[in-house]
Amino acid sequence: MSCQCCSHNHVHTACYRQKGFIEVYGRMMLSGLLLIGGIILQATEVTMFQQKGISLVWYLAAYLPVALPVLKEAWEGLARGEYFNEFTLMFIATIGAFAIGEYPEGVAVMLFYSLGEHFQDKAVNKARRDIRALLDIRPEKAVVIRNGQAIEVSPQEVQIGEVIEVKAGGRVPLDGTLCNENANFNTAALTGESLPRDIKREEEVLAGMISTERTVQIHVTRPFADSALSRILRMVQDASERKAPAELFIRKFARVYTPVVTALAVLIVLIPWLWSLCGDTFDYVFSDWLYRALVFLVVSCPCALVVSIPLSYFGGIGAASRQGILFKGGNYLDAISRINTVVFDKTGTLTRGEFDVQTCVPQPGISGERLIQLAASAEQDSTHPLAAGLIRYAQTHRISLLSISNVEEMAGCGIQATLDNQTVLVGNIHLLERESIAYPSALHEVKGTIVACAVNGQYIGYLTLTDTLKADARQAINELKELNIKKIQILSGDKQSIVTTFAQQLSIEQAYGDLLPEAKVKHIENLKQDNTCRIAFVGDGINDAPALALSHVGIAMGEWGSDAAIETADVVIQTDQPSRIATAIRTGRQTRRIVWQNILLALGVKIAVLVLGAAGMATLWEAVFADVGVALLAVLNAMRIQKLIK
C-alpha cells in the first residue's frame, strides 16, 4: 500500500501524522468516553437508552470520530484498485457489527485499531529518529573566501581549491584540508564517536564535522556531491530501498493472505447456510455466523506483520548508525546475521596504516637522501599509507620533493613515474619481478614492509617501514570468537613474514601474505565453493574492492577508506574500528531473532483466534486483541533492538 500524500508504507499512520497528534488524541478520547458512557448506560438499563434508535445514534457518535479517517483511506484504496487492505477489513467488520446490533463491539474494534495505529506510528518515528537526524545534518550554506571577502553561497557553488570558513559550532559543508595550525572537531555525525578529534594543518577535514573551539579555514578538495557527508546520506537514503528477504516475503504474503481470509469469511457465512438446506438437523442463524465471520475478518488484518517486520529492520539500521555502522539496506542486515567466516585485509583494517620509515638501504653510489627523495617524489600523489609514511619522513628530514609526470599506479604493486626524464619504479618485490628488474635475493629475508626503488630498470635500494595494530584489533578478534565465528583469516599484499607476525599477535591461525588483488579474489572464490561458508570480507583500499564485491557481505572501513571500497561495500564502519564488526554482526542477529519472534507471535495468536472465531468461541473483543494487541506487542518487541545494541 502507498499513500498519495506521502511515501510512508503504512498509509493510516502517515495521514495521522499530517493531521497532528492533538487532533488524533481528541478523536480517540471523544470516542472512548462515548463508548464507556454507552456501556454504562446499557449496563444500568437506563430506560431511554433501551430504545434501539437512541443507542444506535449514541454509538454512531462514538464510532465516527475514529472511523472517518479509516473509511476515507478505505475509499481511496478502492479508487486505486486496492480492494483488500486493513482499512477495507475494518470497514466491513465494524459495519457488520452494527448491522447485527453489536454496537459497542463495532466501536471498540475501530477505536482500538486507531489507538494501535497511533502507537505504531510513534514507534516508527522513534526508530527513524537516528536516520532523520543524520539526514538533517547537511549544511545549507558555505562561507567561501573570494577576493579577501567572506561570501555565503550554496555548498554546490564552491569549487575545488577554494577556501571556506567555518565558525566555532558550525558544521563543515565540504571535504578539505585544514589551513589552521590545528583545531578540534566533533565527528559524531560521521563516526558515532563522542570525543572530539584534534586535526592538524593539511590533515583532512570531512563534511559533517563540527568545529568545536574556533573559526577555521578549510581548503576544499572535493565537490559537494562527492563529499563524505553526501556519500553517507546517499547510502542511508538508499538503505530503505533494499529490503530484507523477510520484508519482501511478508509483503507478498500480505497481498495473498488478505483476499484469502476475506473469501474464507464469506464461506463461514455461506457454507453453514448451504448445509442447512440439506436437512432439518442443522439450525442456521444468520446473525451468529455473520458475527463469526466478522471476528474472522478483524483477526485476519495483517498489521502486526506488515508494520513490525520492516520496523525491526529499520530499527536495526538506526541502532547501528548510532554506533557508526552504516548498513546499505535491510537485506545486508539480514545477510550479516548468517556470517560464519570473517576475512580481513591487514593494512588500514587491523593495523593503523600509519607507516614510519625504519631503515634506508641504498645501493653503492646512491645516497640515502637521494633514495628517499626519489621514492617520496614518485609517491607524492598517492593516497596509500606507505606513500604517506615516505612523504612524512621526507618532510621531517627537510628533503625536497621533485616534480613528476606520467604517473601510473599498479594495484597491489606500486607506482611508476617519470622524474628528471628518468623512469622511476617504487613498490614491493612483486613490482620488480613484474618489470624483470634484478634485485638482491637477500630482500626476501628482510623483516618489515619493503619499499624497493628502481631507476631506468636498475635496482637502487630499498626502505623498510613498520605499522602497528589498531588499539581495538585484539578486542575485535576476541569478540568475533565469542560470537562463535571460528574461521578468521588475514589476506594481505604484505610479506608473509610480516602477516604471520601480526596474525600471531592476534591469535589468528590462517594468514596469507604476498597476495595481489586477483589472488585475494581467488581466495574468496575458493572459500565460496563450500556452500556452508558465509563470508564477510573487511577492507579499506581500492585493491580490496573486488574482494568486497565478491564476498557475501563486504565491510569497508569508511573513515579513511578509499571511495572504491566504500562504494562497493555493503556495510561501512565509519569509525574505522574493527571491533565494530562484531557489533554489526550482533545487530544483524538480534534483528533477525526479533523478526522471527514477531512472525511466530503474530501468526500463532492469529491462527488460534481465527479457529476459535470460526467455531463461535471468540468474540470481537478477542479479535481486537489478536489484531491490535498483537500488533502493539510486535512493535514493542521490534523497538527492543534500540536498547539491545550498545
Side-chain angles (χ1 to χ4, degrees):
M1 291 174 290
S2 60
C3 185
Q4 293 177 340
C5 59
C6 61
S7 61
H8 196 291
N9 287 331
H10 209 59
V11 185
H12 197 36
T13 57
C15 293
Y16 264 7
R17 209 167 30 250
Q18 289 185 339
K19 293 172 183 175
F21 286 144
I22 294 177
E23 182 182 352
V24 172
Y25 276 124
R27 287 175 179 271
M28 289 189 293
M29 190 174 294
L30 175 61
S31 180
L33 289 174
L34 288 173
L35 174 61
I36 293 170
I39 292 173
I40 293 172
L41 290 172
Q42 191 171 335
T44 54
E45 298 183 355
V46 173
T47 303
M48 180 187 69
F49 205 75
Q50 301 306 309
Q51 299 179 31
K52 194 169 184 179
I54 298 294
S55 62
L56 174 60
V57 171
W58 181 281
Y59 283 115
L60 277 174
Y63 175 76
L64 290 176
V66 288
L68 287 175
V70 177
L71 299 181
K72 178 176 179 291
E73 295 301 334
W75 175 257
E76 291 179 355
L78 290 171
R80 294 192 299 269
E82 296 176 0
Y83 303 110
F84 299 104
N85 55 44
E86 66 259 43
F87 312 117
T88 308
L89 293 180
M90 290 300 110
F91 171 69
I92 295 172
T94 53
I95 293 300
F98 269 83
I100 61 175
E102 300 291 346
Y103 308 146
E105 294 183 359
V107 175
V109 167
M110 192 62 76
L111 173 61
F112 286 117
Y113 173 73
S114 300
L115 183 65
E117 292 293 287
H118 174 61
F119 283 120
Q120 288 170 23
D121 186 48
K122 293 188 71 174
V124 170
N125 283 337
K126 187 176 187 302
R128 295 172 65 94
R129 194 173 300 142
D130 293 309
I131 293 178
R132 273 209 312 271
L134 184 62
L135 296 176
D136 289 340
I137 67 176
R138 189 197 302 260
E140 296 181 357
K141 296 291 182 182
V143 176
V144 62
I145 308 299
R146 291 175 179 167
N147 300 320
Q149 299 292 319
I151 304 171
E152 192 175 85
V153 299
S154 168
Q156 288 93 332
E157 297 177 24
V158 180
Q159 303 297 315
I160 294 175
E162 290 192 296
V163 174
I164 58 173
E165 189 173 84
V166 180
K167 296 185 181 300
R171 195 178 297 277
V172 178
L174 299 119
D175 292 356
T177 55
L178 186 65
C179 298
N180 306 64
E181 282 301 321
N182 69 289
N184 282 330
F185 290 86
N186 180 333
T187 66
L190 298 177
T191 67
E193 289 296 305
S194 57
L195 293 176
R197 175 185 299 170
D198 183 45
I199 295 179
K200 296 179 174 56
R201 182 190 291 273
E202 295 188 0
E203 289 185 345
E204 189 172 32
V205 181
L206 299 178
M209 292 181 176
I210 297 173
S211 177
T212 58
E213 295 177 345
R214 66 182 70 173
T215 298
V216 297
Q217 290 191 337
I218 297 166
H219 183 264
V220 176
T221 56
R222 290 194 192 98
F224 180 74
D226 295 337
S227 70
L229 179 59
S230 295
R231 187 172 62 232
I232 292 169
L233 297 181
R234 282 197 298 272
M235 285 191 289
V236 172
Q237 289 167 328
D238 291 344
S240 62
E241 301 301 319
R242 299 185 177 100
K243 304 299 180 185
E247 287 184 89
L248 298 174
F249 169 75
I250 289 301
R251 287 189 170 187
K252 294 176 182 176
F253 172 77
R255 284 197 291 266
V256 175
Y257 167 83
T258 305
V260 166
V261 295
T262 304
L264 290 174
V266 173
L267 292 176
I268 287 174
V269 178
L270 188 60
I271 289 176
W273 175 68
L274 293 174
W275 182 260
S276 69
L277 298 178
C278 297
D280 300 328
T281 57
F282 182 71
D283 185 19
Y284 177 76
V285 180
F286 174 76
S287 61
D288 289 348
W289 288 99
L290 179 60
Y291 186 84
R292 297 183 188 189
L294 296 177
V295 171
F296 197 87
L297 277 178
V298 172
V299 176
S300 69
C301 184
C303 293
L305 295 174
V306 172
V307 175
S308 68
I309 304 309
L311 178 60
S312 299
Y313 284 106
F314 206 84
I317 292 172
S321 71
R322 289 205 312 272
Q323 303 295 320
I325 304 166
L326 289 178
F327 282 92
K328 293 186 179 179
N331 53 334
Y332 303 122
L333 194 64
D334 191 78
I336 204 169
S337 69
R338 298 181 173 89
I339 291 300
N340 55 24
T341 301
V342 177
V343 181
F344 287 94
D345 168 53
K346 179 182 71 67
T347 305
T349 303
L350 288 171
T351 64
R352 293 168 56 220
E354 294 181 0
F355 289 82
D356 294 319
V357 175
Q358 297 298 306
T359 60
C360 176
V361 185
Q363 287 290 87
I366 298 290
S367 68
E369 183 175 329
R370 178 62 175 171
L371 176 60
I372 292 167
Q373 184 181 49
L374 291 172
S377 296
E379 295 273 15
Q380 63 186 290
D381 294 329
S382 175
T383 59
H384 195 281
L386 287 172
L390 288 170
I391 295 164
R392 187 168 56 249
Y393 186 83
Q395 291 172 341
T396 302
H397 290 78
R398 301 185 182 281
I399 299 173
S400 61
L401 301 184
L402 306 174
S403 60
I404 58 174
S405 60
N406 302 323
V407 179
E408 180 184 352
E409 187 162 351
M410 305 169 190
C413 292
I415 277 181
Q416 176 179 297
T418 301
L419 193 157
D420 289 341
N421 294 320
Q422 295 178 312
T423 300
V424 179
L425 291 171
V426 179
N428 54 27
I429 294 175
H430 290 301
L431 180 61
L432 300 179
E433 293 174 344
R434 173 175 166 173
E435 299 298 320
S436 302
I437 296 173
Y439 61 89
S441 59
L443 261 63
H444 289 286
E445 308 302 321
V446 175
K447 293 186 176 180
T449 300
I450 289 179
V451 174
C453 188
V455 176
N456 290 335
Q458 296 294 315
Y459 167 76
I460 64 168
Y462 73 91
L463 303 101
T464 61
L465 294 89
T466 59
D467 194 5
T468 55
L469 286 172
K470 289 183 176 179
D472 65 332
R474 291 183 180 86
Q475 176 191 344
I477 303 305
N478 291 336
E479 289 186 2
L480 288 174
K481 290 179 178 178
E482 289 173 5
L483 291 172
N484 203 33
I485 296 176
K486 295 184 170 58
K487 187 178 287 187
I488 302 173
Q489 301 180 349
I490 298 177
L491 304 183
S492 177
D494 216 336
K495 291 171 61 178
Q496 182 64 58
S497 59
I498 297 172
V499 179
T500 301
T501 299
F502 279 112
Q504 289 171 347
Q505 293 177 31
L506 294 170
S507 300
I508 296 176
E509 295 179 0
Q510 296 175 299
Y512 306 90
D514 299 310
L515 298 178
L516 296 176
E518 52 267 30
K520 290 183 180 181
V521 169
K522 183 66 176 176
H523 187 91
I524 299 296
E525 287 176 342
N526 291 337
L527 286 175
K528 288 183 74 174
Q529 289 179 4
D530 180 356
N531 293 329
T532 64
C533 195
R534 310 301 295 177
I535 307 156
F537 181 83
V538 190
D540 73 316
I542 189 171
N543 60 319
D544 294 323
L548 287 167
L550 184 62
S551 58
H552 295 107
V553 177
I555 303 174
M557 294 293 164
E559 188 172 4
W560 305 113
S562 72
D563 289 346
I566 292 169
E567 292 296 333
T568 305
D570 309 314
V571 182
V572 180
I573 308 295
Q574 284 299 117
T575 63
D576 271 11
Q577 294 173 286
S579 59
R580 295 294 170 93
I581 296 163
T583 304
I585 293 172
R586 279 196 298 269
T587 302
R589 290 183 181 181
Q590 291 283 10
T591 302
R592 192 164 184 267
R593 188 176 298 119
I594 285 173
V595 164
W596 280 104
Q597 286 172 356
N598 284 344
I599 290 174
L600 295 175
L601 170 69
L603 292 182
V605 174
K606 283 181 178 291
I607 290 171
V609 180
L610 282 173
V611 173
L612 291 173
M617 300 170 65
T619 68
L620 279 172
W621 296 101
E622 283 86 2
V624 167
F625 170 75
D627 176 34
V628 177
V630 170
L632 284 176
L633 288 175
V635 166
L636 290 173
N637 191 38
M639 295 307 298
R640 286 195 307 122
I641 193 69
Q642 300 284 334
K643 304 293 183 184
L644 292 172
I645 305 303
K646 294 181 180 179

